[in-house]
Each structure stands twice: as structure tokens, then as C-alpha cells.
């Protein structure tokens, strides 16, 4: 298989230190640096990287959103909102019986949440 698994997700943001610290607290992880232009944390199953936005990658909501599985959608939304995220889309019920929502983090990047069928 050509593509094996997700290795990292990179967020293009105006302030890499603030974004890395926000996600590090969310995932209870330590911020690490490859260099002055790239900070990262180890999240479940992949790295989350933070790079300064630029003309090629202006950040914000684009066309790709990573969806994280959660046990309870409403609890996850409230927890993220309490940390400064804003509900952007949903919540909705999918035709497959799941519930999903999209939020924007304090840096304008999207966070998708999915509670599979049988979850709230």
C-alpha cells in the first residue's frame, strides 16, 4: 500500500508557540521543537505540528478537517468551548448513525469531532 498511516497533521498558524501550548494542554503532552519555525506534540496516533502561516498556507478553515473520535459529542464540544474553541458546524446526525460537529480553535483552524453510532 502506498499510503500507510497518518504520520502528522500540521496546523499553519500566526503564533506557533501559543497554538502548540493550547494543543499540548488539550492532549496533556509536551511541546517540542524541531527548529524555530516548527513546534510539535505527540498526540494519539500521530504528531501535531505547528508552522507559521504564509502565502502558500494561510491557515484557517480550508478544505481539510481532521475528525477526532470522541465518546460523547456534547461533552467534547463543551470542553473545547471552555478552552476558547467556537462551534462552527453541527452538531449533526449522519446517515450512518454517528453524530459529528466542527469547531474552530482559537487560531482559526478546524477541529472535527465524531461520536460513532451508539455514542451520544
Amino acid at each position: 500500500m502506498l499510503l500507510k498511516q497518518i504520520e502528522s497533521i500540521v496546523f499553519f498558524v500566526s503564533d506557533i508557540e501559543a497554538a502548540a501550548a493550547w494543543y499540548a494542554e488539550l492532549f496533556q503532552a509536551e511541546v517540542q521543537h524541531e527548529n524555530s519555525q516548527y513546534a510539535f506534540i505527540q498526540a494519539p496516533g500521530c504528531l501535531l505540528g505547528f508552522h507559521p502561516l504564509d502565502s502558500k498556507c494561510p491557515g484557517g478553515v480550508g478544505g481539510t478537517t481532521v475528525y477526532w473520535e470522541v465518546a460523547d459529542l456534547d461533552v467534547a464540544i463543551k470542553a473545547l468551548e471552555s478552552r476558547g474553541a467556537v462551534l462552527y458546524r453541527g452538531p449533526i446526525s449522519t446517515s450512518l448513525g454517528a453524530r459529528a460537529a466542527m469547531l474552530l480553535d482559537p487560531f482559526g483552524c478546524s477541529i472535527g469531532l465524531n461520536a460513532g453510532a451508539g455514542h451520544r
Side-chain angles (χ1 to χ4, degrees):
M1 180 184 305
L2 180 64
L3 303 176
K4 297 178 183 180
Q5 64 187 27
I6 294 174
E7 183 271 333
S8 61
I9 300 164
V10 178
F11 296 87
F12 290 84
V13 296
S14 60
D15 185 336
I16 66 171
E17 296 304 327
W22 193 86
Y23 278 91
E25 185 177 325
L26 181 65
F27 286 102
Q28 300 178 347
E30 180 181 329
V31 176
Q32 300 177 60
H33 294 84
E34 180 177 335
N35 55 51
S36 64
Q37 299 296 300
Y38 187 75
F40 63 94
I41 66 164
Q42 180 65 55
C46 70
L47 291 177
L48 298 183
F50 307 91
H51 188 282
L53 52 84
D54 58 25
S55 62
K56 287 187 175 181
C57 296
V61 179
T64 302
T65 299
V66 174
Y67 279 79
W68 297 89
E69 184 175 332
V70 296
D72 186 309
L73 186 66
D74 297 324
V75 168
I77 289 170
K78 286 178 185 167
L80 289 168
E81 286 177 329
S82 75
R83 302 193 70 246
V86 176
L87 186 63
Y88 187 67
R89 297 182 78 149
I92 64 161
S93 294
T94 71
S95 60
L96 299 175
R99 292 187 65 226
M102 183 190 300
L103 293 91
L104 299 180
D105 70 16
F107 315 97
C109 298
S110 61
I111 304 172
L113 302 177
N114 183 70
H119 294 118
R120 300 173 19 141

Short mmCIF file of all heavy atoms in Angstrom, two decimals, residues 3 11 15 21 28 30 32 37-38 43-45 52 60 63 69 71 75 77 83 114 119-120:
data_model
loop_
_atom_site.label_atom_id
_atom_site.label_comp_id
_atom_site.label_asym_id
_atom_site.label_seq_id
_atom_site.Cartn_x
_atom_site.Cartn_y
_atom_site.Cartn_z
N LEU A 3 0.09 4.58 0.77
CA LEU A 3 -0.10 5.41 1.96
C LEU A 3 -0.44 4.50 3.14
O LEU A 3 -1.44 3.80 3.12
CB LEU A 3 -1.24 6.42 1.73
CG LEU A 3 -1.05 7.34 0.53
CD1 LEU A 3 -2.28 8.23 0.35
CD2 LEU A 3 0.20 8.19 0.66
N PHE A 11 -0.66 22.31 11.48
CA PHE A 11 -1.50 23.49 11.55
C PHE A 11 -0.65 24.70 11.19
O PHE A 11 0.41 24.90 11.77
CB PHE A 11 -2.05 23.67 12.97
CG PHE A 11 -2.96 22.57 13.42
CD1 PHE A 11 -2.46 21.42 14.01
CD2 PHE A 11 -4.33 22.68 13.27
CE1 PHE A 11 -3.30 20.40 14.43
CE2 PHE A 11 -5.19 21.66 13.69
CZ PHE A 11 -4.67 20.52 14.27
N ASP A 15 0.80 32.13 15.45
CA ASP A 15 1.64 32.04 16.65
C ASP A 15 1.84 30.56 16.99
O ASP A 15 0.99 29.95 17.63
CB ASP A 15 0.96 32.78 17.80
CG ASP A 15 1.80 32.85 19.06
OD1 ASP A 15 2.70 31.99 19.26
OD2 ASP A 15 1.55 33.75 19.87
N ALA A 21 1.07 25.25 22.64
CA ALA A 21 0.75 25.18 24.07
C ALA A 21 -0.72 24.82 24.28
O ALA A 21 -1.05 24.03 25.17
CB ALA A 21 1.08 26.51 24.76
N GLN A 28 -2.43 16.80 27.00
CA GLN A 28 -1.51 16.55 28.12
C GLN A 28 -0.17 16.05 27.60
O GLN A 28 0.33 14.98 27.98
CB GLN A 28 -2.14 15.58 29.12
CG GLN A 28 -3.42 16.12 29.70
CD GLN A 28 -4.09 15.17 30.67
OE1 GLN A 28 -3.75 13.99 30.76
NE2 GLN A 28 -5.05 15.66 31.41
N GLU A 30 3.90 17.33 25.89
CA GLU A 30 4.97 18.32 25.99
C GLU A 30 5.26 18.91 24.61
O GLU A 30 5.34 18.18 23.62
CB GLU A 30 6.23 17.63 26.51
CG GLU A 30 7.41 18.54 26.67
CD GLU A 30 8.63 17.79 27.18
OE1 GLU A 30 8.47 16.82 27.92
OE2 GLU A 30 9.75 18.19 26.80
N GLN A 32 7.53 20.23 21.81
CA GLN A 32 8.90 20.03 21.36
C GLN A 32 9.13 20.91 20.14
O GLN A 32 8.19 21.36 19.51
CB GLN A 32 9.13 18.56 21.02
CG GLN A 32 8.89 17.63 22.21
CD GLN A 32 9.06 16.19 21.83
OE1 GLN A 32 10.12 15.78 21.41
NE2 GLN A 32 7.99 15.41 21.98
N GLN A 37 10.90 27.41 13.50
CA GLN A 37 9.73 27.51 12.63
C GLN A 37 8.78 26.32 12.75
O GLN A 37 7.80 26.24 12.01
CB GLN A 37 10.17 27.65 11.17
CG GLN A 37 11.00 28.88 10.89
CD GLN A 37 10.21 30.15 11.11
OE1 GLN A 37 9.19 30.38 10.47
NE2 GLN A 37 10.65 30.97 12.05
N TYR A 38 9.07 25.39 13.66
CA TYR A 38 8.23 24.20 13.75
C TYR A 38 8.23 23.63 15.17
O TYR A 38 9.26 23.18 15.67
CB TYR A 38 8.72 23.12 12.77
CG TYR A 38 7.80 21.92 12.68
CD1 TYR A 38 6.59 22.01 11.99
CD2 TYR A 38 8.13 20.72 13.27
CE1 TYR A 38 5.74 20.91 11.90
CE2 TYR A 38 7.29 19.62 13.19
CZ TYR A 38 6.10 19.72 12.50
OH TYR A 38 5.25 18.65 12.41
N ALA A 43 0.43 13.42 19.75
CA ALA A 43 -0.98 13.18 20.03
C ALA A 43 -1.25 11.69 19.82
O ALA A 43 -0.39 10.97 19.31
CB ALA A 43 -1.85 14.02 19.10
N PRO A 44 -2.42 11.22 20.18
CA PRO A 44 -2.72 9.80 19.97
C PRO A 44 -2.63 9.42 18.49
O PRO A 44 -3.36 9.95 17.66
CB PRO A 44 -4.16 9.65 20.47
CG PRO A 44 -4.35 10.79 21.42
CD PRO A 44 -3.51 11.91 20.87
N GLY A 45 -1.67 8.58 18.16
CA GLY A 45 -1.56 8.05 16.81
C GLY A 45 -0.80 8.89 15.80
O GLY A 45 -0.54 8.43 14.70
N PRO A 52 4.47 28.44 11.03
CA PRO A 52 3.93 29.77 10.75
C PRO A 52 3.16 29.79 9.42
O PRO A 52 3.60 29.21 8.43
CB PRO A 52 5.17 30.66 10.64
CG PRO A 52 6.23 29.93 11.38
CD PRO A 52 5.94 28.47 11.18
N GLY A 60 -6.31 28.61 8.84
CA GLY A 60 -7.76 28.74 8.93
C GLY A 60 -8.48 27.56 8.30
O GLY A 60 -7.89 26.52 7.99
N GLY A 63 -10.05 23.22 3.35
CA GLY A 63 -10.82 22.19 2.69
C GLY A 63 -10.62 20.85 3.37
O GLY A 63 -11.24 19.88 3.02
N GLU A 69 -12.27 10.99 17.06
CA GLU A 69 -13.34 10.20 17.66
C GLU A 69 -13.48 10.60 19.12
O GLU A 69 -12.48 10.75 19.83
CB GLU A 69 -13.03 8.71 17.57
CG GLU A 69 -14.15 7.85 18.09
CD GLU A 69 -13.89 6.38 17.88
OE1 GLU A 69 -13.17 6.01 16.93
OE2 GLU A 69 -14.41 5.59 18.68
N ALA A 71 -16.11 10.02 22.80
CA ALA A 71 -17.13 9.16 23.40
C ALA A 71 -18.47 9.87 23.50
O ALA A 71 -19.52 9.26 23.31
CB ALA A 71 -16.67 8.70 24.79
N VAL A 75 -20.26 16.55 25.43
CA VAL A 75 -19.23 16.79 26.44
C VAL A 75 -17.97 17.34 25.77
O VAL A 75 -17.35 18.28 26.26
CB VAL A 75 -18.92 15.50 27.24
CG1 VAL A 75 -17.66 15.66 28.09
CG2 VAL A 75 -20.11 15.13 28.12
N ILE A 77 -17.70 18.96 22.90
CA ILE A 77 -17.95 20.33 22.42
C ILE A 77 -17.83 21.31 23.58
O ILE A 77 -17.13 22.33 23.48
CB ILE A 77 -19.33 20.44 21.76
CG1 ILE A 77 -19.34 19.71 20.42
CG2 ILE A 77 -19.73 21.91 21.56
CD1 ILE A 77 -20.73 19.56 19.80
N ARG A 83 -12.33 26.05 26.46
CA ARG A 83 -10.93 26.38 26.21
C ARG A 83 -10.78 27.40 25.08
O ARG A 83 -9.70 27.64 24.59
CB ARG A 83 -10.15 25.11 25.85
CG ARG A 83 -10.25 24.07 26.97
CD ARG A 83 -9.27 22.94 26.83
NE ARG A 83 -7.94 23.47 27.08
CZ ARG A 83 -6.98 23.53 26.13
NH1 ARG A 83 -7.21 23.10 24.93
NH2 ARG A 83 -5.81 24.04 26.42
N ASN A 114 -16.28 13.35 16.06
CA ASN A 114 -17.20 12.31 15.60
C ASN A 114 -17.46 11.34 16.75
O ASN A 114 -16.55 10.80 17.33
CB ASN A 114 -16.57 11.55 14.43
CG ASN A 114 -17.52 10.51 13.87
OD1 ASN A 114 -18.52 10.84 13.26
ND2 ASN A 114 -17.19 9.24 14.09
N HIS A 119 -22.86 6.05 20.20
CA HIS A 119 -22.37 7.10 21.12
C HIS A 119 -23.34 8.25 21.07
O HIS A 119 -24.14 8.38 20.18
CB HIS A 119 -20.97 7.58 20.71
CG HIS A 119 -19.94 6.52 20.87
ND1 HIS A 119 -19.22 6.04 19.80
CD2 HIS A 119 -19.49 5.85 21.94
CE1 HIS A 119 -18.38 5.11 20.23
NE2 HIS A 119 -18.53 4.99 21.52
N ARG A 120 -23.23 9.12 22.06
CA ARG A 120 -24.11 10.29 22.13
C ARG A 120 -23.58 11.39 21.32
O ARG A 120 -23.02 12.17 21.14
CB ARG A 120 -24.31 10.68 23.57
CG ARG A 120 -24.94 9.55 24.35
CD ARG A 120 -25.01 9.81 25.82
NE ARG A 120 -24.88 11.21 26.09
CZ ARG A 120 -25.55 11.87 27.01
NH1 ARG A 120 -26.39 11.24 27.73
NH2 ARG A 120 -25.38 13.13 27.24
#
